[in-house]
Amino acid sequence: MEQKFVFMFDHEKAVGKKMLGGKGANLAEMTRLGLPVPYGFTVTTEACNAYYEAGEQLSEAATLQIKRSMEKLEKRTGKSLGDTNNPLLVSVRSGAVHSMPGMMDTVLNLGMNDETVKAIADLTHNPRFAYDSYRRFIQMFGDVVLGLDNSLYENHLENYRMSSGYTSDVQMTAEDWKEIIEAYKKITREAAGRTFPQDPYEQLFLSIRAVFDSWNNKRAVLYRRLHNIPGHLGTAVNVQSMVFGNMGNDSGTGVAFTRNPSTGESDLYGEYLINAQGEDVVAGIRTPQPINELKREMPDLYGELVKMCNLLEKHYKNMQDIEFTIENGALFFLQTRNGKRTAQSAVRIAVDMVNEGIVSEEEALLLVDPDQLSQLLHEHIDPEHTSQKLVTGLPASPGAATGEVVFDADKAELLSNEGRNVILVRPETTPEDIHGIVAAKATVTSRGGMTSHAAVVARGMGKACICGCGSINIDLETGRFTVAETIVEEGDVITVDGASGDIYLGEIATIEPEMSAVFRKLLGWADNTSTLGVRTNADTPEDVRKAVELGAEGVGLCRTEHMFMDPERLPAVQRMILAENKEERTKALEKLLPMQQQDFERIFETLRGRPITIRLLDPPLHEFLPNVEELLVDITRLELTDPESAELERKQKLLRSVRLLEESNPMLGLRGCRLGMVHPEIYEMQITALFQAMTGVLSKGIDVNPEIMIPLVSHVAELRETSGLVHKVAKEIGGRNGISLNYLTGTMIETPRAALTADEIASEADFFSFGTNDLTQTTFGFSRDDAEGKFLQYYIENGTLPDNPFMKLDQEGVGKLVESGVTLGKQTNPQLKTGICGEHGGDKDAIRFCFDKGLDYVSCSPFRVPAARLAAAQSALGSRQERKSVLQPG
Ligand code: ADP
Ligand code: MG
Ligand code: MG
């Protein structure tokens, strides 16, 4: 049988988007539902691909089928193409599988020529309309099909209007349009080197080819690249009889959403224009009216519109975005598709549709994109603002804030204590700046990547942060920064958007986040559906409380070093690090122990028995010390001003110690369990604090379930030795209190060797947590800060890598290590608990991956917990659907 390249809109069987494109499939679907859709047919995406394979030639079969379909269309409408009594006019519309709004081309009013225009003028008794339509067609044809610059036509029209003393097209008469038509034909001839074709079939085939060609125009190619749409899909072409919204005051055209796309309210939302053709609404030449005006102007028709919109929603089980046209009081549907919406709207629509019986709870979960949800949980800037963007950095921590620029942590604290809003701007931050980050509404740095000190600290605190903003030049001496020509002085107000990395001059209103009742309801359904646990990465009692509120079922990563970074503790931490012998170090640790113990107590009390994975100290010690360059500056200044001071001596000594601890590659240096083995007294203090906190909280009748995690293990012996210490301390403290302490020990899998020898490591572990941040660094051999600053951008723009592997889990490489780590680990220890705790823990694709590979939970920052809960539910639903379609093919 001959391959079928063309389907009429009322073709018996649903053929599907892949063949018909989104627009074509939906036009057919609406036709089948009995909605008033101007009749027509769809040339398939396969015809498009065949066209490209044949070297941009339409095959004979396709050509013939199009001609035959055209005859069917003529028969149905009682009009025919090029007929001088009753001419058929059609549109030729592009429509790919994925909606690519405005990227490809459409031609309207096809079939117009010097003869048919007269017939249209007679039939409609409206010559003005007829000649206007004809000139529109010549213009679109020149632009889309012949590739001419639209301004050639527009400029001519503009001049004509001016010299006639008209202020708008409404004043143009039929005679005026006739003159324009002659001029347009001449413009076309001169610019394209060919005459405007009078033969409607020539017009038709040239237009179809032009739509196929537009699949590969620059905009479309770029759009596909940005949205990860494959280039081999091709576009379909829809040929559809025209309806006219520009026939007079009982005609019009509009677009409508079946619900409000920004709030989710269940009223029709949109706009329309009386006496206009489709493209006028988008073109912005005239200002459209809100759709509720139509309710007053044409109440019956409005009622019909609402009725059909409800029908469409019930059918598609989703909010629809439609195009309609009214011709002499009759309503026609020209397009429908699932409408884009804000997060707030998405959540409300999903829940409302369940209440209205349109979708099930499970179907509702698929109506919301987890990636959108962070919008709901952070303060964000008013989307209506009109401020000019100053510069963009890395979006290190979401949230929006407005405030005065300050360049110094002390100053930030001072002003904030006076109740002023400040934004801390620094080249980079160190632990000595923490009080400034706490005091500021947001932090901006010119250096450092997504894991720089400022980024990590700000994310932990849930505060906005923009890092690595290399185009700002900070001059700390004069207290100003510059971006090209713009100077921003200390005290000037800026607004930062940590979700996008954008910085604006001046104040922009920010909008408070809220966890609405409907949002909670939706997430409740998600939890009922999901089997994958969602935990949180949280280091402080405040974060733990927030995460539990947002639905975390426990803590997947509690980084104890963050407890060391508190400015009040830092001096004791530094004394511990700089100790010259074991006694000194033990003394300093004794100071820290009660502080750490207190933190654990508060966290355990907040968790009330929920599990918590606590990681022993991980980073290299120099991270707690001041920065060498700043020390050098201080020393030089003191040498000049106060050479005899004790302060100078102290700083000099500090500098020597900092230098001693310097490593040429700290990421691979003395850190993680290595640190704990070289200086066991540090881990011993932490473990003691943990178990003492545990016994204290247990004695109040509150359950505690700690999982003690030993970081950066690459050989089972490291784990054996370090967990030996854990067991020893547990025995001692348990013994002293006459109880036996229940806890788990395990490790973070973050080196390839650990993943490759997971079977051995599992013999010493109750759990594995895949630290995918470091595992990505060690698998690729990329240092994240250097990669993000120096070459990753190039890799992504160049297409060397599809994504930033620190944001999107590299499933083929890093993922393979995770998968085999789980499999090998469970071979030795079938009870092994597994989870991931990198930043990937909040990403929906990584969550689906973890679900498929049988991990027990994912762990992410508190603000991503709701999105992760939804993504976990969608993973379960997605895999169930896939299994079903395997069982029942077709
Ligand atoms: P896009 O994908 O860019 O929206 P469309 O193919 O939807 O392009 O068409 C552009 C405009 O022309 C829309 O407003 C549409 O409603 C209108 N239009 C398309 N075909 C017809 C038709 N047969 N009759 C009336 N208006 C049409
Ligand atoms: Mg459209
Ligand atoms: Mg690590």
Side-chain angles (χ1 to χ4, degrees), residues 176-196:
D176 290 322
W177 287 127
K178 277 186 196 166
E179 279 191 43
I180 294 289
I181 286 163
E182 289 314 309
Y184 272 14
K185 285 199 283 198
K186 186 155 163 267
I187 290 172
T188 307
R189 197 167 52 241
E190 281 166 7
R194 62 154 296 162
T195 53
F196 168 78

Side-chain angles (χ1 to χ4, degrees), residues 23 93-94 101-102 106 255 282 323 334-335 337:
K23 198 180 287 167
R93 316 172 67 187
S94 59
T106 284
V255 292
V282 202
E323 286 173 7
L334 287 161
Q335 192 170 336
R337 61 185 164 209

Side-chain angles (χ1 to χ4, degrees), residues 505-521:
L505 276 184
E507 182 173 344
I508 304 175
T510 56
I511 296 172
E512 279 289 324
E514 53 165 334
M515 180 103 170
S516 62
V518 276
F519 193 15
R520 281 176 203 282
K521 185 159 221 172

